[in-house]
Amino acid sequence: MVPHLTTALTGPLLELERCFLDNATSIEAWLRQQWLDHMPPFYGSVDLRNAGFKLAPVDMNLFPGGFNNLHESFLPLCVQAAQSAVERICPDASKLLLVPENHTRNQFYLMNVARLANILGHAGLKVRIGSLLPDITEPTTLDLPDGQKLTLEPLVRKGDRLGLKDFDPCAVLLNNDLSAGVPTILKDLDSQWVIPPLHAGWTTRRKSIHFAAYDRVAESFAKMLRIDPWLINPYFGRCGKIDFHERVGEECLAAQVDATLTKIRAKYAEYGVEDQPFVIVKADAGTYGMGVMTVRDASEVTGLNRKQRNKMSVIKEGMQVSEVIIQEGVHTVEQVNGGVAEPVVYMLDKYVVGGFYRVNTERGIDENLNAPGMRFEPLAFETCCNTPDCAQAPDAAPNRFYAYGVVARLALLAASVELEETAPAELELA
Amino acid sequence: MVPHLTTALTGPLLELERCFLDNATSIEAWLRQQWLDHMPPFYGSVDLRNAGFKLAPVDMNLFPGGFNNLHESFLPLCVQAAQSAVERICPDASKLLLVPENHTRNQFYLMNVARLANILGHAGLKVRIGSLLPDITEPTTLDLPDGQKLTLEPLVRKGDRLGLKDFDPCAVLLNNDLSAGVPTILKDLDSQWVIPPLHAGWTTRRKSIHFAAYDRVAESFAKMLRIDPWLINPYFGRCGKIDFHERVGEECLAAQVDATLTKIRAKYAEYGVEDQPFVIVKADAGTYGMGVMTVRDASEVTGLNRKQRNKMSVIKEGMQVSEVIIQEGVHTVEQVNGGVAEPVVYMLDKYVVGGFYRVNTERGIDENLNAPGMRFEPLAFETCCNTPDCAQAPDAAPNRFYAYGVVARLALLAASVELEETAPAELELA
C-alpha cells in the first residue's frame, strides 16, 4: 500500500510467523466463526511486542487515539471497514456525535479526531463533535497543524438523548476513555447507541479482566493451531489493594512478581531463551503509559523510594492507583532507525485497517515505550495486514504484518468477550 | 493507493462530479439504506461511459473476468470486501468451489481466476477450481505467464451436491456466465449455495430487464439528489423477435432506433450538447462485446449487408441473437495515452474494490471498446473509489473515481433488484 516507506524489520525468523502463514486460511475461517458469536467492538487498537520467539498483545485500547498516525493510503480500508461498522449501529440513520478527550491543546490528538471524523464521513455519516469541556459554551473552531479545522460544540442533553443544538444523532461515539469517571450527561442515554458502551471506559474496565478473557481466546486459538499458547500470551497476575504512598500491598506485589518471573523462567528454559525475564507492573485501570514500571526481581518492589512510589501511584486525570496488573514483559526485537519499536495495530469493526510503529530512541528493549511526556515517532506500516504472501519469507513485511493483524484480532476478540461478560445487566444478575 | 501510475483524465469539469462530492455523505447513507432491502450480488463489474455532461453504466457483468487487471495495491480492499461477502454465504464453513469459463488458453482469463482464488483464500476460504470441460478428467495444472500455477479439477456430482474428489464445498462460485446454457451438473444443487444464482447467467438474463431495474434505481437516486435521472441513465428500447439472417424484425429495430435517437436529440437540445446522438444495438443476452453495432440513423439498420448481419447474429459460444437492446450511446471523453478509455469498476459484495480503464487506440469515442479479437490495454485506477476529497477539484482523481464508484454501485443495486425479480420462485407465481 505504501511502497516507499523505509522500515527496518530486523527480527530473527519467527516460527510463529511461518505457522500463521501456512495456516492463514484456517485462521481466517476460525476468526469468522468467532465473530458469529461475539460482536466486534466498534474500534480498537492493540500494542504488540515481538520478541522473535514470542508475539503478544500487551495492551488493548478501546478508545484509539492515533488514527492520524496511519498512512493515508490506509484510508480506503478504514472507510470500507467503517461502512461495515456503521451498518450495525445506524443502518437507517446518518447522524453521529463524536465525544473526544478534553485535550484541546494536543495537536496530535486533535488530528486523530479530525481523521476519525473524516473516515466516518466517507462511510456516510454526518459527524459533529460534542465536547465535555465546560468552557466550550458555543461552537469553537480549532486550527490544526495540517491546515484542517475542527469544530467543537457544546453538548445538549434532552431527556434520554444527547446531541448538539439542532443535531439529534442516532449514536454517540466515545473517543474518551472515561478515566475521570462517567460524566452525568453520558448516563442513561436509553434511546441512543453509546459506543463503546460506558462500561468499556476506565472507570470500570480492568486490564486483568481483559487478559483473563485473552487467556481463553489464546488457549482456544492455540489449540486450533496446535501451538503453545504462551507464544502469543503473556503471563499476568494482579493485586487488588495497593496504596503506594502508604506501602500497603507490597507483599502481594512482591509475591505476584515472583510467581510470574518463576513461570517465565520455566518457559525460557523450555525454549532455550537466554534473555533476562522481566515483568511490567502497571495500573489495572488506566492508560497513557502512566504508572508503569519494569521489574526484574521481586525485591525491587518492596523498597521503592518516594519518587518511584509517586510515579506509580497516579495516572491520567490524577486518578489514584489501587489495583495493579503484573504482566510478563516481552522484549521487543524490532528496531527502526536506531530506536526500539513496538507495533500498534488499528482495527475498525472486525477488520485490521492499518498500524504503525511506536519508535522510541531513549528506551531499552524491556521498557514501556508509551511513556508520558516522551515523544514517540510513529512510523506507518509499509503494507496492509491482510495479504500474507506465501512466496515470500515469513518475516517479509506483508507476512510480519499479517501476523501482527492476527494477534491484534485475538486481543480484539478478547475485548468483545470481556465487554459481554462485564455488561451491567449481567453484573446485576451476579 | 498507487501513487505512481500515470493517467490522463482530461474530461471537462463535470457538474455531476461536483454534485456527488457535495452530497457524498447523503449518497452513502442512501446506499446503506438500499442495501438493507436488497442483498448485494457476490461480485460484479460495471462498464461506464463518461461523456462529461453524463456518466452512465452501459453494461453490468455478474461474472467479472478481469480481477487480474486491478492493481495489486487494491488487494487489501478486495480481501476485506470478500470477508464481508463470505460471512453471508459460508459463515461457518470454509470450502468453496470455483467454476470458471472454459477458456484454458486465455492466459489473461486464467490470471483472473488465479487472482480471484487468491483473494478468496486470503478471506479465509479453501478454494479449489472445478472445470466444466469434459477433457479435464484429472487434476490439470496450468502454468501462468506470471509464474503462478492453476490447477483445474474434474467436477464430481453426488446427489444434490457438487464438489471435487475429497472436496465437499459449502458453496459453488460461478465465474462462468452460462452463455452456452446451464449444464445439467449445475442444476438442482439444493443443499449448496450457487452464487451468483443460475438465473444470473446469460441463458436467462436479459440486459433490458437489468436496465429496466436501473431505470427505477436511477429515478429514486436522482430524486434524492434533485438531479435529472438522464444524467446517469441511458435511454433504451428492445426488440424481441429478430432474425438477422432472415431480415425478420428490421422494422421493430428501425422504430426503436428512431424513437431512442429522438429522445436523445431532445435531451441534447435541452442541455446544449452538440455531439451527434447515436445508439448501440447489441444482443439482449450476451457478453464479450460480440454482436454490437453503433447506429447514428434508423436507416442504417434496415439495409444491413451480409457481413454486418453475420456479425450481429452470433455471440459467444455460437449463440444466435434473437433479442436485442437498443441503448443510448454515451460518448467517452476520457483519453489515456492517445486511446479512447472506458472505466470498468469492480465490486465485491456492496463495496467498490477497484477498477481500471479499458483503453483502445483503434476505436472512436462512440464505439464499443470491448470488441472481440481486439486487445485492450487495462490501466489500473490511480486511487480508490471511496475517498472523495472536497479540498480537490471535482475532476481530481479521487473525486472522479468516487463518482465512478457511485454510479457503478447504482448498477449493482439494479442487478440486485433484477435478480430478486427474476428469481425462479417468483416466475412460477406469475
Side-chain angles (χ1 to χ4, degrees):
Chain A
M1 303 274 289
V2 195
H4 299 296
L5 284 184
T6 53
T7 155
L9 293 161
T10 53
L13 187 136
L14 189 58
E15 266 184 66
L16 200 58
E17 286 167 349
R18 164 58 67 196
C19 170
F20 287 179
L21 195 55
D22 292 344
N23 295 285
T25 303
S26 304
I27 289 171
E28 295 306 318
W30 184 88
L31 281 166
R32 184 164 64 240
Q33 186 89 42
Q34 301 302 312
W35 294 125
L36 292 179
D37 296 329
H38 304 286
M39 189 170 102
F42 185 84
Y43 53 16
S45 69
V46 174
D47 295 354
L48 299 174
R49 301 278 292 196
N50 183 358
F53 57 91
K54 175 166 190 160
L55 172 63
V58 295
D59 211 353
M60 160 81 228
N61 186 349
L62 287 167
F63 305 89
F67 277 99
N68 55 309
N69 293 330
L70 303 182
H71 193 277
E72 63 178 19
S73 66
F74 290 129
L75 201 54
L77 271 182
C78 293
V79 171
Q80 202 184 75
Q83 284 175 320
S84 179
V86 165
E87 264 170 51
R88 219 193 303 273
I89 52 162
C90 294
D92 49 9
S94 61
K95 290 179 192 159
L96 183 125
L97 179 66
L98 179 55
V99 177
E101 297 280 350
N102 294 335
H103 310 321
T104 51
R105 293 213 193 99
N106 182 334
Q107 303 285 306
F108 297 106
Y109 178 71
L110 294 174
M111 286 198 288
N112 164 67
V113 175
R115 175 65 76 87
L116 189 53
N118 185 257
I119 291 166
L120 296 169
H122 281 134
L125 292 178
K126 292 180 174 63
V127 181
R128 284 165 68 178
I129 298 155
S131 175
L132 288 165
L133 282 169
D135 47 335
I136 300 287
T137 54
E138 54 183 32
T140 306
T141 300
L142 306 172
D143 290 308
L144 304 188
D146 59 357
Q148 288 187 86
K149 288 176 189 300
L150 198 65
T151 301
L152 306 181
E153 300 182 63
L155 292 169
V156 177
R157 173 82 184 235
K158 278 188 192 159
D160 63 357
R161 296 183 73 83
L162 186 66
L164 305 174
K165 189 172 174 241
D166 305 323
F167 189 74
D168 181 38
C170 71
V172 178
L173 177 63
L174 299 177
N175 196 250
N176 181 311
D177 67 17
L178 309 177
S179 281
V182 179
T184 308
I185 200 169
L186 292 180
K187 287 180 181 163
D188 306 316
L189 297 172
D190 296 330
S191 67
Q192 275 171 321
W193 279 90
V194 177
I195 39 178
L198 294 179
H199 70 279
W202 284 121
T203 319
T204 43
R205 193 171 175 234
R206 294 295 175 269
K207 293 189 176 84
S208 54
I209 305 221
H210 172 76
F211 281 100
Y214 186 77
D215 272 352
R216 282 170 278 144
V217 168
E219 185 78 36
S220 165
F221 178 79
K223 195 173 167 189
M224 185 265 299
L225 284 188
R226 292 183 192 144
I227 59 169
D228 181 350
W230 178 73
L231 296 174
I232 52 169
N233 192 8
Y235 287 125
F236 76 95
R238 79 179 277 278
C239 288
K241 290 181 181 170
I242 298 283
D243 183 331
F244 283 100
H245 285 301
E246 302 294 329
R247 300 196 157 177
V248 172
E250 280 191 351
E251 306 74 24
C252 174
L253 199 50
Q256 290 287 346
V257 166
D258 199 50
T260 307
L261 286 171
T262 302
K263 287 195 281 184
I264 304 169
R265 272 184 213 109
K267 279 291 177 187
Y268 277 19
E270 180 183 339
Y271 287 92
V273 176
E274 297 187 350
D275 297 323
Q276 187 185 10
F278 68 105
V279 297
I280 298 286
V281 177
K282 53 189 174 184
D284 201 9
T287 180
Y288 280 77
M290 301 170 86
V292 177
M293 190 165 56
T294 297
V295 179
R296 295 173 193 82
D297 190 276
S299 64
E300 295 174 41
V301 295
T302 47
L304 294 179
N305 61 31
R306 180 175 297 270
K307 191 178 157 200
Q308 290 169 315
R309 286 186 280 126
N310 280 346
K311 186 187 148 207
M312 286 304 292
S313 64
V314 181
I315 52 166
K316 193 187 164 205
E317 308 271 4
M319 301 302 287
Q320 291 293 316
V321 174
S322 62
E323 301 165 65
V324 300
I325 179 171
I326 298 94
Q327 188 180 52
E328 174 185 345
V330 182
H331 295 89
T332 179
V333 296
E334 297 206 81
Q335 303 233 342
V336 182
N337 302 335
V340 179
E342 180 178 88
V344 185
V345 175
Y346 269 63
M347 290 161 291
L348 271 166
D349 199 79
K350 55 186 165 294
Y351 303 104
V352 177
V353 294
F356 54 88
Y357 283 106
R358 191 179 279 140
V359 184
N360 195 315
T361 49
E362 296 170 46
R363 287 275 168 140
I365 62 168
D366 60 357
E367 284 180 289
N368 171 56
L369 301 189
N370 193 10
M374 185 171 283
R375 279 281 302 282
F376 64 85
E377 282 299 320
L379 176 74
F381 283 2
E382 190 183 356
T383 72
C384 275
C385 301
N386 65 354
T387 49
D389 182 356
C390 292
Q392 295 187 57
D395 63 345
N399 297 332
R400 180 152 284 183
F401 291 143
Y402 177 67
Y404 291 168
V406 170
V407 175
R409 282 181 290 167
L410 296 179
L412 189 75
L413 180 59
S416 169
V417 172
E418 169 203 353
L419 291 180
E420 282 158 21
E421 291 177 351
T422 55
E426 292 189 31
L427 286 182
E428 280 162 22
L429 290 175
Chain B
M1 301 273 291
V2 194
H4 299 296
L5 283 184
T6 53
T7 154
L9 293 162
T10 54
L13 187 135
L14 191 56
E15 266 184 67
L16 199 59
E17 285 166 349
R18 164 57 65 195
C19 170
F20 287 180
L21 194 55
D22 292 343
N23 295 284
T25 303
S26 304
I27 290 171
E28 295 307 317
W30 184 87
L31 281 165
R32 184 165 64 240
Q33 185 90 40
Q34 301 301 312
W35 294 125
L36 292 178
D37 297 328
H38 305 286
M39 189 170 100
F42 185 83
Y43 54 16
S45 68
V46 174
D47 295 353
L48 298 174
R49 301 276 292 195
N50 182 357
F53 57 90
K54 176 166 190 160
L55 171 62
V58 295
D59 211 353
M60 160 80 228
N61 187 349
L62 287 166
F63 305 90
F67 277 99
N68 55 308
N69 292 330
L70 303 182
H71 193 278
E72 63 179 17
S73 65
F74 290 129
L75 203 54
L77 271 183
C78 292
V79 170
Q80 200 185 78
Q83 284 174 320
S84 177
V86 164
E87 263 170 50
R88 220 192 303 274
I89 53 163
C90 292
D92 49 8
S94 62
K95 290 178 192 161
L96 182 124
L97 179 66
L98 179 56
V99 177
E101 298 281 349
N102 293 336
H103 311 320
T104 52
R105 294 212 190 99
N106 181 335
Q107 302 284 307
F108 296 106
Y109 178 71
L110 294 174
M111 286 197 288
N112 163 66
V113 175
R115 174 65 77 89
L116 190 52
N118 186 258
I119 291 167
L120 296 168
H122 280 135
L125 292 177
K126 293 181 172 63
V127 180
R128 284 165 65 178
I129 298 155
S131 175
L132 287 165
L133 282 169
D135 48 334
I136 300 288
T137 54
E138 56 183 31
T140 305
T141 299
L142 306 171
D143 289 308
L144 305 189
D146 59 356
Q148 288 188 87
K149 289 177 190 297
L150 198 67
T151 301
L152 305 182
E153 300 184 64
L155 292 169
V156 177
R157 173 81 184 235
K158 279 188 191 160
D160 64 357
R161 296 184 72 84
L162 186 67
L164 306 172
K165 190 171 174 240
D166 305 322
F167 188 75
D168 181 38
C170 72
V172 177
L173 177 63
L174 300 176
N175 196 249
N176 181 310
D177 67 18
L178 309 176
S179 281
V182 179
T184 308
I185 200 169
L186 292 180
K187 288 180 181 164
D188 305 315
L189 296 172
D190 296 329
S191 68
Q192 274 170 322
W193 280 90
V194 176
I195 39 177
L198 294 179
H199 70 280
W202 286 121
T203 318
T204 44
R205 191 169 177 237
R206 294 293 176 270
K207 292 187 175 83
S208 54
I209 306 232
H210 171 77
F211 281 99
Y214 186 77
D215 273 352
R216 281 170 280 145
V217 167
E219 185 77 34
S220 165
F221 177 79
K223 194 173 167 188
M224 184 265 298
L225 284 188
R226 293 183 192 146
I227 58 169
D228 180 350
W230 178 72
L231 296 175
I232 53 168
N233 191 8
Y235 287 125
F236 76 96
R238 79 178 279 276
C239 288
K241 289 180 181 170
I242 298 284
D243 185 330
F244 284 100
H245 285 302
E246 303 296 327
R247 301 197 154 175
V248 172
E250 279 190 352
E251 304 74 22
C252 175
L253 200 50
Q256 289 288 346
V257 167
D258 200 49
T260 307
L261 285 172
T262 302
K263 287 196 280 185
I264 304 169
R265 271 184 215 109
K267 279 292 178 187
Y268 277 20
E270 181 183 338
Y271 286 92
V273 176
E274 296 187 350
D275 298 323
Q276 187 186 11
F278 69 103
V279 298
I280 298 285
V281 177
K282 54 190 174 183
D284 201 10
T287 180
Y288 279 80
M290 302 168 86
V292 177
M293 190 164 57
T294 297
V295 179
R296 294 172 193 84
D297 190 277
S299 64
E300 294 175 40
V301 295
T302 47
L304 295 179
N305 63 30
R306 178 173 299 272
K307 192 180 156 201
Q308 290 170 314
R309 286 186 281 127
N310 279 345
K311 185 189 149 208
M312 287 303 294
S313 64
V314 182
I315 52 166
K316 193 186 162 207
E317 308 271 5
M319 301 303 288
Q320 291 293 316
V321 174
S322 61
E323 300 165 66
V324 299
I325 179 170
I326 298 94
Q327 187 179 54
E328 174 185 345
V330 182
H331 295 89
T332 179
V333 295
E334 296 207 80
Q335 304 233 342
V336 183
N337 303 335
V340 179
E342 180 178 87
V344 185
V345 176
Y346 268 63
M347 290 161 292
L348 271 165
D349 199 78
K350 55 186 165 296
Y351 303 105
V352 177
V353 294
F356 54 88
Y357 283 106
R358 190 178 279 140
V359 184
N360 196 314
T361 49
E362 296 170 46
R363 287 275 170 140
I365 62 166
D366 60 357
E367 285 182 289
N368 170 55
L369 301 188
N370 193 8
M374 186 170 282
R375 280 282 302 284
F376 64 84
E377 282 299 321
L379 176 74
F381 283 1
E382 193 183 353
T383 72
C384 275
C385 302
N386 65 354
T387 50
D389 182 356
C390 292
Q392 295 187 57
D395 63 344
N399 297 332
R400 179 153 284 182
F401 291 143
Y402 177 68
Y404 291 169
V406 170
V407 175
R409 283 182 289 168
L410 296 179
L412 190 75
L413 179 59
S416 170
V417 171
E418 170 203 353
L419 291 179
E420 281 159 20
E421 292 178 349
T422 55
E426 292 189 31
L427 287 181
E428 278 161 22
L429 291 175

